[in-house]
Amino acid sequence: MSQSITTSGSVAQPTETADVIVVGAGPAGSATAAYLAMAGLDVLLLEKTAFPREKVCGDGLTPRAVKELITLGIPTPEEDGWIRNHGLRIIGGGMRLSLPWPDLASFPPYGLVRTRQDFDDILARHAVKHGARLHESTNVTGPVLDDTGAIVGVSARAVDEKGRSTGPELVYRAPLVVAADGNSSRLSLSMNRPKRDDRPMGVAVRTYYTSPRHDDDYLESWLELWSTDESGKRVLLPGYGWIFGVGDGTSNVGLGILNTSSAFGKTDYKDVMRRWVATMPEEWTYNDETMVGPIRGAALPMGFNRQPHYGKGLLLVGDAGGMVNPFNGEGIAYAMESGRLAAEVIAQAFARGDDARRERVLQSYPGVMKDALGGYYTLGRYFAKMIGNPEVMRLATKYGLPRTTLMKFLLKVMANLAEPRGGDASDRLINALSKMAPDA
């Protein structure tokens, strides 16, 4: 990222101005922009690529993510390519356990699958429909700072499909900038907000295979990845896997590994993927000949690994703020949820009559996020540390999977699907644990 522009002295002239600039039109940025536009604010949404564009993801949406889609007003009819799933199938310890999503008042009883190439485009167009101004192929190169060091805009350049600059430097100004620019969040780094090393980090790789399993109506989670060595002996590979039917003739097949594992950063994840799928039944047709596109990887920033979530005019949402769930690696639900919560705070802030009062409201955003997810994410950090130990994972798989009642409880925990009020004993226990856990 280029050096920041400081507005003291000669003032850089803005190309455009807005109430709020949102950098990044993924689920977090588009949700934020849509809600802000609905609240009557002038929102500029800057995206470095052009839609439709691909993102590395499992493409599976839990009921928590579906709830956010419903709240945002995104229709999801099956005839438009939204594939419903009824629950999670867990494979491990020689068992296959199918668990339906819980039937709760606060969450729909189904999940969805939609490729990110379609999904992100749909959300960005939804924000535009409600009044956000979207600029695609616009690569933000740095912050514009005032003489106090606060961000008051961004510099950017138009880019082609290969990311090469195609024009002069552009300057966009707003009293608030939202960083929704993903895990690397170069904008956050330029404002001296590095990642925290005491938070879990994951790596995921995935590809698509043409397969008759494309219409599977359960998300599938593999707790163990087995292969064979040259002598034919079974060997346990590092990581955890998934298979999601996409409904278009392909399956999304991927695996992830946490930095709490001793194999993190020392493993050829693409090789692990190939060795794992080579053990699957031939009729599933997961092989090099049916692979659609390359095996691609991405980092999963978990448990609020970048903080503070607001300061000096810059507010963080989604992966930029490390909001991936440490229990299951889910990011889309929390990206959209953080966008919704951020927009509520921002709209209230801009309803204040002066800068000091607006700033006071914006300063409440980190507390809002910690109240919503802080305790739960702390539990997730403990969980991530435990399962990084292969022996703990082996015992959990061996003794946990045969107990369906326990697994139903763990499904609620891992997918964060407890009723916030009332509910049964399991909901109350999950909420109590989350409230007792520190939200640092």
Side-chain angles (χ1 to χ4, degrees):
M1 179 169 280
S2 65
Q3 291 185 343
S4 60
I5 300 173
T6 304
T7 63
S8 56
S10 60
V11 178
Q13 295 300 310
T15 305
E16 288 185 55
T17 62
D19 293 326
V20 181
I21 294 170
V22 180
V23 179
S30 290
T32 304
Y35 282 119
L36 290 176
M38 284 186 254
L41 294 179
D42 181 18
V43 187
L44 191 58
L45 180 60
L46 306 179
E47 167 59 37
K48 68 180 179 180
T49 61
F51 291 108
R53 56 102 167 99
E54 191 177 12
K55 283 284 186 178
V56 177
C57 184
D59 300 333
L61 305 173
T62 67
R64 192 174 186 93
V66 177
K67 177 183 180 179
E68 291 299 327
L69 287 172
I70 294 170
T71 303
L72 186 55
I74 302 288
T76 59
E78 294 187 58
E79 57 267 26
D80 286 349
W82 297 89
I83 307 303
R84 289 198 179 194
N85 56 76
H86 303 307
L88 181 68
R89 183 182 303 115
I90 302 173
I91 298 174
M95 292 189 60
R96 298 171 63 90
L97 179 64
S98 295
L99 299 171
W101 297 120
D103 190 2
L104 305 171
S106 301
F107 301 96
Y110 62 92
L112 293 168
V113 173
R114 187 83 188 218
T115 65
R116 286 293 298 274
Q117 187 168 29
D118 290 337
F119 185 83
D120 289 18
D121 192 11
I122 291 168
L123 264 62
R125 303 306 167 197
H126 188 74
V128 170
K129 183 179 75 172
H130 286 284
R133 291 181 284 138
L134 171 65
H135 289 348
E136 300 174 63
S137 302
T138 303
N139 183 36
V140 171
T141 55
V144 176
L145 308 178
D146 66 14
D147 54 10
T148 71
I151 189 170
V152 291
V154 297
S155 57
R157 289 187 183 275
V159 293
D160 62 18
E161 65 276 4
K162 294 184 179 180
R164 298 172 299 199
S165 297
T166 60
E169 186 170 74
L170 308 170
V171 175
Y172 301 99
R173 287 179 169 274
L176 178 67
V177 177
V178 175
D181 50 347
N183 165 61
S184 60
S185 193
R186 293 185 298 163
L187 190 58
S188 299
L189 289 173
S190 69
M191 293 291 291
N192 195 30
R193 241 167 279 186
K195 297 174 183 176
R196 294 181 57 161
D197 293 332
D198 62 344
R199 295 295 191 264
M201 173 67 73
V203 170
V205 298
R206 69 97 179 94
T207 190
Y208 298 92
Y209 295 96
T210 302
S211 172
R213 298 197 65 201
H214 73 97
D215 58 355
D216 189 351
D217 59 1
Y218 269 71
L219 302 181
E220 197 163 87
S221 176
W222 292 57
L223 303 185
E224 299 170 329
L225 307 180
W226 289 97
S227 184
T228 56
D229 62 16
E230 293 179 356
S231 67
K233 180 182 177 182
R234 293 183 80 217
V235 292
L236 183 63
L237 303 171
Y240 318 96
W242 71 77
I243 300 175
F244 300 161
V246 184
D248 62 354
T250 67
S251 296
N252 180 314
V253 183
L255 61 90
I257 189 169
L258 296 172
N259 63 353
T260 53
S261 167
S262 60
F264 185 84
K266 306 172 185 176
T267 301
D268 182 340
Y269 306 115
K270 295 180 181 179
D271 180 63
V272 171
M273 168 84 85
R274 289 191 170 94
R275 292 176 64 191
W276 170 45
V277 300
T279 67
M280 295 180 186
E282 288 186 13
E283 60 267 23
W284 293 3
T285 67
Y286 298 149
N287 54 61
D288 287 349
E289 287 70 33
T290 63
M291 187 185 298
V292 180
I295 299 174
R296 302 181 63 196
L300 302 175
M302 299 177 172
F304 292 160
N305 80 334
R306 198 190 304 276
Q307 296 183 37
H309 287 138
Y310 175 75
K312 292 184 175 293
L314 183 70
L315 186 147
L316 312 185
V317 293
D319 284 9
M323 295 177 184
V324 173
N325 183 345
F327 280 104
N328 64 2
E330 181 181 15
I332 291 177
Y334 303 95
M336 297 180 67
E337 185 172 344
S338 65
R340 173 172 54 81
L341 294 173
E344 290 175 2
V345 171
I346 295 167
Q348 289 295 331
F350 275 81
R352 304 306 193 259
D354 58 73
D355 292 348
R357 290 177 180 175
R358 182 177 67 207
E359 179 66 16
R360 188 163 66 244
V361 177
L362 291 172
Q363 289 286 352
S364 72
Y365 175 67
V368 168
M369 289 309 305
K370 286 186 176 183
D371 287 345
L373 297 169
Y376 175 76
Y377 277 2
T378 297
L379 294 177
R381 296 201 305 272
Y382 298 152
F383 174 82
K385 187 174 182 179
M386 286 191 300
I387 66 170
N389 184 324
E391 182 62 17
V392 171
M393 191 62 192
R394 186 187 70 82
L395 292 173
T397 301
K398 179 179 179 180
Y399 295 106
L401 276 177
R403 292 163 172 79
T404 303
T405 300
L406 174 61
M407 294 307 298
K408 287 181 177 179
F409 171 73
L410 288 177
L411 177 64
K412 278 189 175 184
V413 173
M414 295 183 69
N416 200 5
L417 294 177
E419 292 278 21
R421 290 169 294 278
D424 60 18
S426 65
D427 298 316
R428 294 191 291 273
L429 177 57
I430 294 169
N431 291 327
L433 291 172
S434 297
K435 289 177 181 177
M436 287 190 294
D439 59 7

